[in-house]
Every structure is written in structure tokens, then in C-alpha cells.
Amino acid sequence: MPVVLTVALCLSVIVAVGVVFAAGRTAPDRTGPSADRYVEITAVSPAVSPATGPDASTGSFTEDCGRNENGHHNADNVVVAPGVVGGAHHTHDYVGNVSTDALSTNESLARAGTTCAGGDRSTYYWPVIRRLDRAGSDVHAVGGGADGNTGAIVTPSSVRVEFRGNPVSKVVAMPRFLRLVTGDAVAATAGGDARIRAQWGCSGHPGRFTTAYTRCPRGSGPTRTFDLPSCWNGLATDSPDHRAHVVFPAVNGVCPQATFPVPQLRITVAYDLPHGTRYAVDSFPEQRRDPRTDHALVINVMTDRRMAAVVRCINEGRHCQSA
């Protein structure tokens, strides 16, 4: 056999083996969402806050629940899909209650431990974000690579859990075990944007929110701000769609008829990433990691006594922190 033909055959074999190896190897996702899913934070206009009235509740109560340093992750969603292990098909970050999973009940949550100072056993959770320049450790797991969520999970640099007042009235206590949902996990295929509540931003640029991923200037990192609904129907801690029992106020802060303002929960999650690092949120596979799918869920497990202290602080216009 001529030398040239032999060399060509050998090269063909090497290329073929390389293709097979690459096909069976999980590599970091260095592409991720398309470029039009990212915007410069400097192009985003600041949000306008509603004016406060004479009966406004202007205080706040901030909790320190850590930033999930203990790596509490799973692909469950106990609010929307209780009892279904892996039912979220994307991975959630948790702070607060250390036991939360698909099989949690009110009773199990009430007796579990917590990462929150002061003993609040509430559970606060949202999808993780991943940096796309590194491979994750869950490349074959449900919620991770098996559902298209590639990349290395990023631990937040900070998490702020803040209960705030209402711009036009005093607030009343949330009932224990109230379920709260914000955002639309199926926004990319929903056919409408009514439930989209994604608020991506950058540290050092307060009040600038967008439904797209943000590109932050050097020295700044991406943030996510979750505003939870705060107008409760006064009757139920949950509803068939997990939303009808507690809804959002109007833009001016007024709650719909037959609902009552409860402390408005805002969760702000920040990240430190090397400048220019691509990142993406976990999502259902068919949502293709669309930034508009960002969402968060809460189960209030505060004792009635602690919730009363939160309400008192807010209605008196004080700014309190958990001890």
C-alpha cells in the first residue's frame, strides 16, 4: 500500500476516533443562550417607585439566611409539584429551611433546622445560575446536564431577604405556611408575558432591572431581584394554581378588592463572576434557559409571634434586622 494512502487511512481513523470520543464526552457549554439574550446594564433605565401615601407602611425587616453555603440543591418543587422527586427538571438553590425537598410537609418544615438567624424556618428558593465556561459536576443528573442545564453552579456572593411595607396602607400578618410564587418558569412557551417577573441587574446599579441577562461593567456582577406577591385573599395558604390566593398589587400599590396587604417580600441574589463570564439560569429543557423564565418560591414557616414582630416593625416605619 502506498505510503500516502496509509497515512491518509491512519488520519481518517484518528479523526473518527476523535469524533466518537467527543460525542461521548460532556464538555462545558461555551455558547449558551444567544447574544441577543444579554444587554448592557448601562442601557437599562432605572425603575420608578410608587409614591407613598399618608397611611403607608414604610418600615422593613431584613433577615440573614446565608447564601446557600451548605449547597442545598435539588430538582424538586414542593410548592408546584409536591411529592414529585425531580419534578422541576432544573436545579434550585435554597436558603432558610435545610430540609426542603419534594416530600416536605408543613409538619416536617416546622421541625427542621434553618440557615436563617433568629430561627425562621421558612423556605426560600429559585433556580441556580451556572457559568458556561466550566463543566458542572451534575452533567448526567436530572436537573443538570440530563435536562440541558450545563455549566458549573455558581454560589451566590450574597442573598438579601427583606420584608417591606405597602406604599398606601398598613400590612397584616402572613398566615403560617402561606405559599408564594413569582415569575413564569414556562415564559418562553407561554404565549404571553402576564406572569413574567424576571428582574436581572448588576451590583452597583440599583433599580435597573431587565428581563434579559445583564452584562455588567468590570467590578460589578449580575443580580436577580425577586419581588413576591403581597395581596392575600385572607382565606387560604394555597390555591390550585398556587397564585390565586395571593396576588400582586396595582402599580400604585393598591391591592385588589377582597385582598389584604401582607409584608412584601423582596429577595436579592448577587454573584461574583470574572468580568465577561457567560452565565445562564437553569430551566425546563424546552425553555432553553430563557432569562424571562426566572422565578422564585417561598413557604412562610415563621411562627405567628415572629411574623407579628415583622408586621409591627414595618407598620411603625422602623428598619429592623433579624437577630
Side-chain angles (χ1 to χ4, degrees):
M1 182 180 295
V3 173
V4 174
L5 181 57
T6 302
V7 171
L9 286 171
C10 289
L11 289 174
S12 297
V13 171
I14 290 171
V15 170
V17 170
V19 170
V20 171
F21 176 74
R25 180 184 62 191
T26 301
D29 180 355
R30 290 185 169 85
T31 56
S34 58
D36 64 357
R37 295 298 186 187
Y38 297 79
V39 300
E40 301 289 340
I41 192 63
T42 51
V44 179
S45 299
V48 178
S49 300
T52 56
D55 297 321
S57 44
T58 58
S60 64
F61 189 96
T62 304
E63 292 209 299
D64 179 7
C65 294
R67 52 188 182 87
N68 198 16
E69 297 95 329
N70 58 338
H72 183 180
H73 298 124
N74 58 48
D76 301 345
N77 191 333
V78 67
V79 171
V80 175
V84 183
V85 176
H89 293 282
H90 52 266
T91 300
H92 284 127
D93 247 335
Y94 292 84
V95 300
N97 200 291
V98 299
S99 71
T100 312
D101 60 22
L103 305 180
S104 293
T105 63
N106 290 348
E107 292 73 22
S108 70
L109 292 171
R111 61 175 179 262
T114 181
T115 65
C116 296
D120 174 19
R121 292 179 171 84
S122 300
T123 181
Y124 308 93
Y125 63 103
W126 49 85
V128 300
I129 69 166
R130 299 173 188 258
R131 53 186 299 175
L132 303 181
D133 61 340
R134 294 182 177 178
S137 60
D138 57 350
V139 292
H140 302 299
V142 170
D147 287 309
N149 294 307
T150 56
I153 292 174
V154 183
T155 300
S157 57
S158 67
V159 175
R160 180 180 176 87
V161 177
E162 181 185 18
F163 294 86
R164 309 188 305 168
N166 182 283
V168 296
S169 68
K170 304 302 182 185
V171 297
V172 300
M174 288 183 185
R176 200 175 194 202
F177 305 119
L178 182 70
R179 269 69 169 161
L180 301 170
V181 178
T182 187
D184 189 356
V186 296
T189 58
D193 60 3
R195 289 182 170 179
I196 294 175
R197 296 280 175 175
Q199 297 186 128
W200 297 89
C202 292
S203 57
H205 297 266
R208 294 176 185 260
F209 302 130
T210 173
T211 58
Y213 295 124
T214 47
R215 293 192 185 98
C216 303
R218 194 174 299 277
S220 175
T223 65
R224 304 154 77 186
T225 300
F226 302 111
D227 285 331
L228 281 296
S230 57
C231 298
W232 174 50
N233 68 6
L235 301 172
T237 57
D238 201 0
S239 50
D241 68 351
H242 313 291
R243 297 174 187 265
H245 63 295
V246 56
V247 298
F248 286 91
V251 174
N252 62 2
V254 175
C255 282
Q257 187 175 3
T259 66
F260 306 89
V262 295
Q264 191 270 316
L265 176 57
R266 168 171 282 190
I267 304 171
T268 305
V269 188
Y271 302 87
D272 286 334
L273 286 172
H275 183 251
T277 301
R278 295 285 296 278
Y279 64 92
V281 70
D282 268 20
S283 72
F284 290 111
E286 68 277 8
Q287 302 302 310
R288 302 180 66 83
R289 311 182 84 174
D290 191 307
R292 296 172 298 169
T293 64
D294 209 13
H295 58 280
L297 304 98
V298 173
I299 302 176
N300 170 46
V301 194
M302 282 191 188
T303 62
D304 293 342
R305 180 178 180 181
R306 184 177 182 84
M307 177 56 67
V310 171
V311 168
R312 187 164 55 251
C313 174
I314 291 172
N315 284 341
E316 292 175 357
R318 295 181 288 120
H319 300 287
C320 310
Q321 291 188 329
S322 59

